[in-house]
Amino acid sequence: MRLVLFGAPGAGKGTQAQRLVEKHGIVQLSTGEMLRASARAGTPVGQRAKDIMDHGGLVPDDIVIAIVSDRIDEPDAHHGFVLDGFPRTVAQAQALDAMLAQKGAKLEAVIELKVDESILLKRITTRVEEMIARGEPVRADDNPTALKKRLDAYHEQTPPVIDYYAKKGLLRSVDGMAPVDAVTAAINAVLAQHGGANRG
Ligand code: AMP
């Protein structure tokens, strides 16, 4: 099963991706994670990516596409994967189609977790206030301002890619504001409907 998962920061993408991994025996491929790992390892790609990531920009398509292409060739990805954070541009989406076509494979579904962002922002504001009141340390990137910035980036990047998949008839939207288990059930229902749950 090969999937792409979209969701604004704070939409619960990580949790749902993890559940898909467990249910279907697939791997979660997060380009953000892979790039951070390359940066930590200090590889040439990692050094180049780190600068861009620190400034909130997009790492060039050729770099990210090469990383994904290598990764999906690894044995643990043969049974399938859920992509998280990729594709972020139409060029990346096209490259993904091409690399899968080369293997005689294709994407089964693209799932978008829809959320009400004003509620997400309110939640994080309350959480930070509570942490401060309890005297707990607050992570520098875990605050309303940082979330707003990441949401803005998401809105700038995502619509053309979502549109690309909508036109291909692959896009399935799920209400990400529902309780976590209900979101999981909705995703499973979407996949079962399209025969996804029965395929490798
Ligand atoms: P994320 O963890 O998905 O929010 O990604 C963190 C950062 O990694 C992003 O802000 C980008 O700088 C970079 N990045 C991750 N995935 C991609 C991608 N598909 N294309 C370009 N840059 C990416």
Side-chain angles (χ1 to χ4, degrees):
M1 174 178 292
R2 297 173 189 85
L3 307 170
V4 175
L5 190 57
F6 283 105
K13 208 169 33 145
T15 305
Q16 298 302 332
Q18 203 44 51
R19 289 182 175 192
L20 285 164
V21 163
E22 281 159 22
K23 184 173 164 74
H24 299 287
I26 56 180
V27 288
Q28 178 182 0
L29 305 183
S30 154
T31 43
E33 266 308 313
M34 292 184 227
L35 289 166
R36 281 188 288 275
S38 307
R40 278 196 300 274
T43 63
V45 161
Q47 283 172 356
R48 213 176 137 197
K50 186 177 184 321
D51 245 16
I52 299 167
M53 291 164 76
D54 284 348
H55 293 92
L58 281 182
V59 174
D61 286 337
D62 56 343
I63 293 184
V64 188
I65 290 165
I67 289 177
V68 171
S69 176
D70 286 348
R71 184 63 186 87
I72 64 176
D73 277 341
E74 284 177 34
D76 65 342
H78 285 175
H79 193 53
F81 51 75
V82 51
L83 281 164
D84 158 14
F86 180 96
R88 265 182 165 89
T89 64
V90 171
Q92 291 178 14
Q94 288 167 335
L96 177 62
D97 281 347
M99 62 180 98
L100 290 177
Q102 249 184 6
K103 299 177 211 301
K106 59 185 170 56
L107 283 176
E108 211 127 350
V110 174
I111 297 166
E112 178 192 24
L113 297 180
K114 288 240 184 205
V115 290
D116 180 331
E117 293 172 14
S118 59
I119 295 179
L120 290 186
L121 278 164
K122 229 177 272 167
R123 273 188 200 160
I124 196 169
T125 306
T126 310
R127 196 172 74 215
V128 168
E129 282 167 2
E130 286 170 357
M131 288 175 82
I132 292 170
R134 287 195 298 264
E136 292 172 11
V138 178
R139 264 175 47 194
D141 59 348
D142 197 11
N143 62 69
T145 315
L147 177 61
K148 180 82 178 51
K149 215 171 138 187
R150 293 175 64 212
L151 284 172
D152 287 347
Y154 183 78
H155 289 303
E156 211 175 291
Q157 295 159 8
T158 315
V161 189
I162 291 274
D163 196 48
Y164 176 85
Y165 288 123
K167 284 192 177 127
K168 284 180 161 270
L170 277 174
L171 186 68
R172 307 284 174 256
S173 293
V174 166
D175 175 14
M177 296 311 284
V180 182
D181 289 345
V183 177
T184 305
I187 292 175
N188 289 340
V190 157
L191 295 177
Q193 212 175 17
H194 294 87
N198 304 320
R199 276 185 241 150

